[in-house]
């Protein structure tokens, strides 16, 4: 995922701060109950996604495909089965009302904005810098941070092992069998070897890390120093003004006549 | 015995969890592909997301492991660019906390199907709590809401209970669990003979 083509100012924002602000935004977004606020807010977040992640547009659109699936499937069950009074459509157990329609669309936008905030963070933050920042700014214990970084390094080895097992299955002719059962049998043979090998490897690495005093609670020095810069201020002011703008737009140019989507 | 988790426990827990995180990244699209069926069939496979906590706890059997595992798995899923975005982190923290509290109530002394299933149900309750605020599930028609909750409970017991126990039993047969579990009284007795 992480192939930044060109770095923008968003890449230079302090990672721990960025995570904290997004966490606050998550809580804030859950308290938005007005569709008229939700739509402009989603737009301001998507500006960051389109202009500041530094990815080519082709990649961005590929990323968006599953997000739209999320949008539709999240809104659909509320639209079809939600509570409401003004009936628009009724067929069997399906009961679409005006209220449930707006609420469903609102939930879809909510899911979309969470997805956009998450992917924007991931595309603009290097995991290593994030964990260094968490250790330096939020005082996360080094044993947790370094364990995480080691575990991330182990992911490619896990994939390699997954391929090895699949190749072994092919050699033994398991892939020529058709049907759901043989597919299940192939999947069933995966978790135990993958897990047991990972645990063995993790154990060996942990012993080595303990020998190198990664366990110690004493003050450490860091190879990377992650600090604050004016980009942090820029990020905070962008977020604050986008929230302000959303509320202003909602009161001046409401798109829909509903105010609160809750029943 | 020093207090808290050792680096070995932490690293093994996180590695298991990151493995689950990868699985969850695949599970997300599957969940959303099943979802449009409408009668909440998707909730039957929701239990997978509570499984890391119980599997890690059953392997390492120490306080704090369930919470760490659930948080680590959700961070892993998040950092791989999950479709759910930031909400996975919040769900992970709440689910881990709820599972941990339940295991604590049993003083981390029991490792059987009943306890891990109940721990899973506790996580499930946590996730429903968040759904209530985030997904307005209280505004679904009553019959639909009951179906939603019931399917999620059933899925939870299947994944976090039955499947987790069977995976860990197979892992015990491979012998790797002996690496990471603290030595029991039985081990000392064998040494004393």
């Amino acid at each position: 995922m992480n192939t930044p083509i060109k770095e923008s100012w968003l890449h230079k924002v302090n990672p721990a701060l960025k995570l904290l602000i997004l966490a606050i935004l998550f809580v804030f977004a859950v308290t938005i109950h007005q569709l008229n606020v939700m739509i402009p807010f989603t737009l301001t977040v998507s500006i960051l996604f389109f202009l500041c992640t530094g990815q080519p547009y082709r990649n961005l659109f590929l990323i968006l495909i599953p997000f739209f699936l999320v949008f539709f499937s999240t809104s659909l069950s509320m639209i079809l089965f939600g509570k409401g009074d003004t009936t628009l459509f009724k067929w069997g157990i399906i009961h679409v009302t005006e209220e449930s329609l707006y609420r469903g669309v609102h939930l879809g936008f909510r899911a979309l904005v969470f997805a956009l905030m998450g992917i924007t963070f991931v595309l603009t933050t290097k995991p290593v810098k994030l964990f260094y920042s968490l250790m330096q700014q939020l005082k996360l214990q080094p044993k947790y941070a370094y364990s995480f970084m080691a575990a991330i390094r182990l992911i490619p080895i896990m994939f390699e092992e997954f391929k090895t097992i699949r190749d072994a299955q092919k050699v033994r002719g398991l892939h020529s069998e058709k049907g759901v059962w043989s597919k299940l049998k192939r999947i069933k043979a995966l978790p135990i070897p993958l897990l047991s090998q990972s645990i063995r490897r993790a154990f060996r690495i942990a012993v080595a890390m303990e020998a190198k005093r990664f366990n110690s609670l004493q003050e450490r020095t860091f190879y990377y120093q992650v600090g604050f810069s004016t980009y942090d201020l820029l990020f905070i002011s962008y977020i604050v003004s986008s929230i302000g703008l959303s509320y202003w737009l909602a009161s001046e140019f409401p798109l829909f006549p509903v105010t609160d989507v809750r029943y | 015995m020093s207090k808290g988790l050792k680096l070995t426990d932490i690293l093994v827990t996180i590695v298991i969890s990151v493995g689950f995180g990868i699985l969850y990244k695949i599970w997300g699209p599957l969940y959303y592909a099943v979802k449009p069926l409408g009668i909440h069939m998707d909730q039957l496979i929701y239990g997978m997301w509570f499984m890391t906590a119980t599997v890690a706890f059953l392997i390492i059997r120490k306080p704090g492991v369930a919470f760490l595992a659930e948080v680590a798995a959700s961070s892993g899923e998040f950092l791989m660019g999950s479709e759910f975005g930031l909400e996975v982190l919040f769900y992970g923290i709440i689910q881990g906390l709820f599972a941990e509290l339940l295991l604590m109530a049993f003083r981390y002394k029991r490792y059987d199907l009943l306890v891990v299933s109940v721990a899973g149900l506790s996580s499930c309750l946590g996730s429903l709590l968040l759904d209530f605020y985030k997904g307005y599930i209280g505004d679904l028609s009553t019959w639909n809401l009951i179906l939603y909750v019931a399917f999620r409970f059933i899925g939870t017991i299947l994944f976090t209970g039955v499947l987790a126990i069977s995976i860990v039993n197979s892992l015990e047969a491979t012998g790797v669990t002996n690496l990471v579990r603290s030595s029991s009284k039985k081990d000392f007795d064998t040494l004393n003979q």
Side-chain angles (χ1 to χ4, degrees):
Chain A
M1 254 328 184
N2 275 320
T3 46
I5 309 300
K6 50 182 187 295
E7 292 210 342
S8 71
W9 61 275
L10 201 53
H11 290 83
K12 296 178 186 123
V13 175
N14 181 289
L17 180 93
K18 211 186 320 183
L19 188 67
L20 262 183
I21 290 185
L22 285 184
I24 295 168
L25 270 188
F26 174 87
V27 177
F28 168 74
V30 172
T31 62
I32 299 179
H33 304 296
Q34 287 168 277
L35 188 55
N36 289 328
V37 180
M38 203 65 195
I39 291 173
F41 182 63
T42 312
L43 284 178
T44 55
V45 174
S46 55
I47 288 173
L48 288 182
F49 171 71
F50 280 111
L51 299 182
C52 301
T53 48
Q55 297 280 335
Y57 285 109
R58 205 178 63 91
N59 287 7
L60 292 182
F61 283 111
L62 282 178
I63 292 170
L64 276 182
I65 295 170
F67 288 4
F68 281 109
L69 182 70
V70 169
F71 180 92
F72 285 115
S73 70
T74 306
S75 44
L76 206 61
S77 54
M78 184 53 85
I79 291 176
L80 296 183
F81 306 111
K83 284 179 191 164
D85 300 318
T86 329
T87 304
L88 295 176
F89 179 74
K90 198 170 163 80
W91 182 74
I93 54 170
I94 293 171
H95 185 201
V96 184
T97 61
E98 204 178 302
E99 289 89 343
S100 72
L101 178 67
Y102 283 131
R103 200 182 307 124
V105 173
H106 184 81
L107 285 178
F109 270 106
R110 190 179 270 182
L112 187 65
V113 81
F114 290 160
L116 285 173
M117 288 197 298
I119 199 75
T120 307
F121 178 85
V122 171
L123 289 175
T124 57
T125 313
K126 291 198 180 80
V128 172
K129 285 281 166 66
L130 170 66
F131 287 112
Y132 271 88
S133 175
L134 287 176
M135 279 192 283
Q136 287 168 31
Q137 271 87 48
L138 296 182
K139 303 292 168 219
L140 176 71
Q141 276 188 32
K143 56 181 178 181
Y144 291 99
Y146 284 107
S147 296
F148 257 106
M149 287 190 262
I152 290 172
R153 291 274 176 241
L154 291 178
I155 293 176
I157 306 181
M158 283 187 210
F159 270 108
E160 204 108 302
E161 255 166 14
F162 167 70
K163 275 190 223 148
T164 311
I165 297 173
R166 219 185 35 192
D167 289 345
Q169 289 180 341
K170 263 186 205 158
V171 169
R172 292 171 195 181
L174 273 170
H175 281 248
S176 58
E177 289 171 35
K178 290 271 179 309
V180 183
W181 275 119
S182 79
K183 195 164 191 163
L184 273 180
K185 212 165 83 185
R186 289 207 299 270
I187 292 173
K188 205 174 153 252
L190 287 172
I192 302 305
L194 282 178
L195 268 176
S196 61
Q197 285 296 71
S198 300
I199 293 171
R200 282 196 191 102
R201 197 175 303 112
F203 181 76
R204 284 200 298 271
I205 292 171
V207 170
M209 283 171 78
E210 272 182 18
K212 299 251 181 196
R213 311 283 289 143
F214 274 91
N215 206 7
S216 93
L217 285 170
Q218 282 165 23
E219 194 73 19
R220 295 187 70 89
T221 53
F222 297 104
Y223 184 72
Y224 296 111
Q225 288 293 338
V226 187
F228 293 103
S229 64
T230 42
Y231 296 110
D232 302 321
L233 275 178
L234 184 62
F235 183 60
I236 295 174
S237 38
Y238 181 88
I239 296 299
V240 171
S241 46
S242 84
I243 293 172
L245 190 72
S246 311
Y247 274 101
W248 181 75
L249 281 174
S251 64
E252 295 295 315
F253 307 103
L255 293 164
F256 300 102
V258 277
T259 49
D260 196 317
V261 293
R262 286 171 297 178
Y263 186 67
Chain B
M1 276 287 280
S2 61
K3 267 181 79 179
L5 296 169
K6 286 185 305 171
L7 193 133
T8 315
D9 308 323
I10 296 171
L11 186 65
V12 172
T13 308
I14 293 180
V15 166
I16 296 169
S17 311
V18 168
F20 270 99
I22 299 170
L23 180 68
Y24 291 163
K25 180 70 187 69
I26 307 164
W27 212 249
L30 178 71
Y31 174 74
Y32 274 112
V34 181
K35 204 166 180 170
L37 295 177
I39 48 164
H40 299 310
M41 295 297 280
D42 50 317
Q43 297 305 319
L44 281 174
I45 64 168
Y46 200 102
M48 181 60 108
W49 273 290
F50 314 135
M51 202 175 140
T52 322
T54 51
V55 168
F57 174 72
L58 285 171
I59 292 172
I60 297 167
R61 296 186 174 178
K62 279 184 187 164
V65 164
F67 177 64
L68 176 65
E70 199 69 23
V71 173
S74 60
S75 318
E77 190 185 356
F78 172 63
L79 288 177
M80 266 176 286
S82 163
E83 287 79 18
F84 302 95
L86 210 58
E87 70 171 274
V88 289
L89 276 182
F90 282 82
Y91 275 78
I93 290 168
I94 295 288
Q95 289 162 10
L97 203 65
F98 272 65
E100 188 69 42
L101 284 176
L102 205 115
L103 294 170
M104 196 193 282
F106 285 96
R107 297 180 177 192
Y108 306 105
K109 290 250 165 66
R110 286 182 58 180
Y111 321 105
D112 47 47
L113 180 63
L114 179 77
V115 171
V116 290
S117 302
V118 180
L121 289 178
S122 174
S123 305
C124 184
L125 207 67
S127 73
L128 284 170
L129 219 62
L130 279 180
D131 275 358
F132 190 77
Y133 286 105
K134 197 219 77 185
Y136 300 141
I137 55 167
D139 289 352
L140 286 168
S141 313
T142 315
W143 66 269
N144 209 267
L145 181 63
I146 291 171
L147 207 62
Y148 185 89
V149 174
F151 275 175
R152 191 177 290 187
F153 276 142
I154 294 168
T156 301
I157 292 173
L158 285 180
F159 280 104
T160 45
V162 180
L163 190 60
I165 287 268
S166 78
I167 283 182
V168 176
N169 281 344
S170 317
L171 273 180
E172 273 168 7
T174 66
V176 299
T177 46
N178 296 333
L179 281 178
V180 287
R181 273 180 201 159
S182 47
S183 25
S184 62
K185 190 167 179 302
K186 214 176 101 197
D187 298 330
F188 286 113
D189 289 344
T190 18
L191 277 180
N192 283 335
Q193 275 171 7

